[in-house]
Amino acid sequence: MFVLHHTPDTAATPVRILLEELALPYTARRVDREGGELASPGYRVLHPLGKIPVLETPEGPLVETAAILLWLADTHAPGRFAPAPGTGDRGAFLKWLFFATSNLHPPVMEIYYSDRVAGPAASEALVPLAAARAKTVLDALETGAKAAPALFPADRPSLLGLYIGTLMRWLGQLPDGHPGLIRAADYPVLHATLAACETTAAAARVAAAEDLGPTLFTRPAR
Ligand SMILES: N[C@@H](CCC(=O)N[C@@H](CS)C(=O)NCC(=O)O)C(=O)O
């Protein structure tokens, strides 16, 4: 039995969808974020930086969304959501996964937590800069996806789709006129990959549990 420490609509969401896709037994334990649990000594034992998600596994607590997704995919369904270790596309897959974690996740966080990153005086200036960087990264991912349809499939859920879809959800749910708003519809190949991830029964169950709506990745409610 796995324990996923989460709150709705966070980086825990793609992990929860993958647990559902894999039909693994798990408990979704809601973290008391408002009550300060992330800073508590008990939670810091699970996650040294006090972030969501944490997945408790037989190998111990795992952190970092991409690492958890990769571990689940490799250990429970090698080859189904990502190329298995030792197979042909594995290097290219890892390239795009790390490309997204290193280059797309940070500007998304800067857009959402600009105050925390730049301080109140510079936070307004940071958001358009971070959005421009996110667009550059998404352009590269779109080009990469076009060239590697097996890694970014349009007919089945994929690890890259779940992870990138979560980040694009956050960009796409910003209000009209927000300088960080970026729509998945502007990236047609990625859009198709995201659509394949949100139209499964597993994604629908998580969307219902977390009140995310049916098009959680491609057209999030705003
Ligand atoms: N690189 C981490 C980022 C985790 C992260 O920033 N999670 C957010 C929720 S989406 C969080 O815990 N925020 C609470 C905070 O920073 O206080 C990952 O991918 O797991």
Side-chain angles (χ1 to χ4, degrees):
M1 168 70 87
F2 296 96
V3 179
L4 177 63
H5 300 264
H6 86 117
T7 55
D9 201 1
T10 60
T13 301
V15 175
R16 192 172 183 182
I17 295 175
L18 190 55
L19 286 164
E20 291 280 341
E21 293 284 3
L22 295 167
L24 292 171
Y26 72 97
T27 301
R29 195 193 74 82
R30 193 169 176 147
V31 174
D32 181 10
R33 201 170 171 175
E34 290 74 26
E37 187 186 342
L38 291 175
S40 69
Y43 195 83
R44 291 295 168 111
V45 171
L46 295 172
H47 195 310
L49 299 179
K51 304 280 183 193
I52 295 164
V54 173
L55 183 68
E56 290 195 64
T57 78
E59 296 182 19
L62 298 183
V63 303
E64 287 299 326
T65 309
I68 299 170
L69 292 172
L70 187 54
W71 181 82
L72 282 172
D74 281 356
T75 52
H76 291 85
R80 186 168 149 207
F81 294 94
T87 61
D89 279 343
R90 179 72 170 188
F93 159 75
L94 288 175
K95 172 182 75 173
W96 290 122
L97 181 62
F98 281 78
F99 188 86
T101 60
S102 305
N103 299 299
L104 185 59
H105 208 143
V108 175
M109 290 297 103
E110 288 167 24
I111 289 167
Y112 269 83
Y113 300 111
S114 56
D115 246 39
R116 213 193 267 183
V117 175
S123 106
E124 209 178 314
L126 175 63
V127 174
L129 295 173
R133 242 178 317 123
K135 282 180 187 161
T136 302
V137 175
L138 285 166
D139 287 343
L141 283 168
E142 177 77 1
T143 303
K146 208 175 290 181
L151 303 178
F152 297 85
D155 59 350
R156 60 192 158 82
S158 60
L159 195 150
L160 284 167
L162 287 171
Y163 181 69
I164 294 168
T166 301
L167 300 174
M168 293 187 82
R169 165 178 173 76
W170 298 335
L171 293 170
Q173 71 182 359
L174 292 165
D176 274 333
H178 190 291
L181 171 62
I182 299 173
R183 291 183 173 85
D186 293 335
Y187 301 88
V189 183
L190 291 174
H191 186 278
T193 304
L194 272 47
C197 292
E198 73 190 5
T199 46
T200 67
R205 283 194 295 277
V206 174
E210 301 193 2
D211 194 21
L212 306 177
T215 51
L216 62 157
F217 294 138
T218 56
R219 197 159 46 83
R222 311 168 44 232

